[in-house]
Amino acid sequence: MADLDGLFEFDPASLAKVDRLGQSGVPCWPNGLLVTHLSTELHAAFVHHRDDAGMAAAAEGFGQVAVGGRLMFRNHMGKAMFLRLQDRGEATVDDVDRDGKGVRRGGAIQVYVRREDIGETAFESIKQLDIGDFVWAAGTMMRTRTGELSVHAREVRLAAKCLLPFPDRWNSVSDIQVRSRQRYIDLFMNEETRATFRARSRIVRYIRNFFEARDYLEVETPMMQPIPGGAAARPFVTHHNALDMDLFLRVAPELYLKRLVVGGLERVFEINRNFRNEGVSVKHNPEFTMLEFYQAWASMEDLVGLTEELLSALVSSVAGRSTLQFGELELDFSAPFARLDMDEAIARATGLTLTELGDPEAMAAFWATRFPTEPRMPTHRGGWWERLFERYVEPNLINPTFITGFPPEISPLARRSDARPDRCERFELYCARWELANGFSELNDPIDQAERFAAQVRAREAGDDESMYFDADYVRALSYGMPPTAGEGIGIDRLVMLITGRTSIREVILFPTLRPVAPTPSEPDPGPR
């Protein structure tokens, strides 16, 4: 049993311990153990009961409790022992320690076990517990002589046996590879990680409630699509055997969401998973989460205001203030946000004139003097603006800033501006040197859209593998008529990074995409068998 045909190897010493416990009548993985209270609930209930008389009266009125959690600490003292159990509670209860310093309680509870209370046999079995085991205990509440709130146990049971050596606290907390590859270790060893993903859940819940309160309908669109669309990105490809057809994992849900607007669902949103077969960095994971929303009878300007309202209120709700500390940066999410036209921002940063920014050859000459070995050069104005912006402007955008006035060449789905036909009604929101959101007045002219798709196809045929495909069904949908509409996408992962202060996207995705590593003897081979 120690070695299952090379698939997984259990530690023989751990298996022997399981056998010994079983022979002594202690099941290692029992069922039916009811937990009545979380640690946080108990700390909240007794935080004001400190003197012996008051604590005894409160405990008697409270009655028996049953708690469960992972054993993180044990102190054996002859005929008694203290166990510290970690559960899913949060450290949210304001208290003071025995020195009078403010602390927050919750997430763990101490259990006081005496031999005379649980019996000799049970006490001897509890002595065999290992750090990392799950433990269940039932009893009444008390405070120790040092004032520690504890469960005075009348019954203690092993709830689930840990068969592996418990991780080294320092390496398991600090090693980003261990934390990302074995998130379960990171979660039970690192309170900050648990707090990060609780915050992520609250952020997503707030966003969902925000849009539902404004009469948006949450919808679901296909993750596998016959034509990848909605963003200029390289897709993942899979094959459907029964239909004998290739399908693409979605790079964005945009074109499906706008089909719904055509169909009469005038306000829709989706919190969706997208997949892009591109590079990996501290800001990029091949699988990521986006919020996309579309509103009929609205323009880009309406979404600028809505975005300010959403993010300002979200930051205040989750962080408790309008400013965030992100590394060495202090970010102010108070509305209104700053706003710059794309060409003006580039001109300020590079010294190029607005006239030169209309001439691809002038921009190419500017670039060549600074980066003479650049292998691939843009061929149109929009491509140059994008490159110059990324190099010279983006690194200086700290506080939330809307960039507007994008050229149509790099905005194939955005509506042209009536006032400036060489620009689109599009914005991108930047913060902490990152793009956080992208929104625009949607292109609802099917003729213009078909022409832009055709231009994207020509670019793809010329070697740009991130250009879009021609989506004839989407053009057909627009041909039935779509009312004036505005839409936007906001990166959930980056937003969570900003609010929680995490500097790598791996730290806010529970299971990020990573290169496989060679298995150790106690780990299964990740490859197919």
Side-chain angles (χ1 to χ4, degrees), residues 319-334:
R321 58 191 183 278
S322 61
T323 58
L324 297 173
Q325 194 68 38
F326 186 71
E328 77 284 2
L329 305 176
E330 184 173 356
L331 311 175
D332 187 354
F333 277 83
S334 302

Side-chain angles (χ1 to χ4, degrees), residues 168-366:
D168 173 80
R169 176 169 292 276
W170 171 252
N171 287 329
S172 66
V173 171
S174 62
D175 189 330
I176 187 66
Q177 291 296 324
V178 172
R179 293 172 56 196
S180 299
R181 293 181 187 280
Q182 299 177 340
R183 184 66 77 193
Y184 39 90
I185 293 177
D186 186 24
L187 287 166
F188 65 64
M189 295 297 292
N190 194 337
E191 169 57 30
E192 287 188 359
T193 300
R194 297 194 294 276
T196 294
F197 288 103
R198 290 188 188 110
R200 181 182 178 115
S201 179
R202 287 194 289 268
I203 290 166
V204 172
R205 183 166 60 248
Y206 185 97
I207 290 171
R208 179 171 281 114
N209 292 340
F210 179 92
F211 283 96
E212 288 180 344
R214 286 155 181 79
D215 202 30
Y216 280 75
L217 180 69
E218 184 172 11
V219 297
E220 296 172 294
T221 60
M223 283 193 179
M224 295 190 298
Q225 304 175 354
I227 297 174
R234 184 183 303 165
F236 287 94
V237 186
T238 187
H239 186 80
H240 194 297
N241 291 332
L243 297 178
D244 191 24
M245 62 182 292
D246 284 343
L247 291 168
F248 301 89
L249 297 187
R250 72 175 169 208
V251 296
E254 177 171 342
L255 301 186
Y256 284 89
L257 291 171
K258 288 192 285 192
R259 285 174 169 94
L260 299 180
V261 177
V262 170
L265 303 182
E266 294 185 346
R267 294 189 177 195
V268 293
F269 78 99
E270 183 174 11
I271 298 172
N272 57 80
R273 302 290 281 180
N274 293 331
F275 308 85
R276 298 183 184 178
N277 196 356
E278 300 172 343
V280 177
S281 74
V282 295
K283 297 187 295 183
H284 299 89
N285 191 68
E287 178 183 0
F288 60 98
T289 304
M290 289 281 292
L291 160 72
E292 290 210 15
F293 56 96
Y294 293 83
Q295 179 177 333
W297 313 108
S299 70
M300 179 196 87
E301 295 297 336
D302 296 302
L303 295 197
V304 166
L306 188 68
T307 303
E308 288 176 334
E309 180 185 0
L310 167 64
L311 296 183
S312 296
L314 171 62
V315 168
S316 295
S317 174
V318 177
R321 58 191 183 278
S322 61
T323 58
L324 297 173
Q325 194 68 38
F326 186 71
E328 77 284 2
L329 305 176
E330 184 173 356
L331 311 175
D332 187 354
F333 277 83
S334 302
F337 300 163
R339 185 165 173 168
L340 286 170
D341 257 9
M342 191 178 196
D343 57 348
E344 293 178 358
I346 296 171
R348 290 183 191 179
T350 63
L352 289 166
T353 67
L354 295 180
T355 300
E356 289 172 322
L357 289 175
D359 182 359
E361 292 185 2
M363 291 183 281
F366 172 87

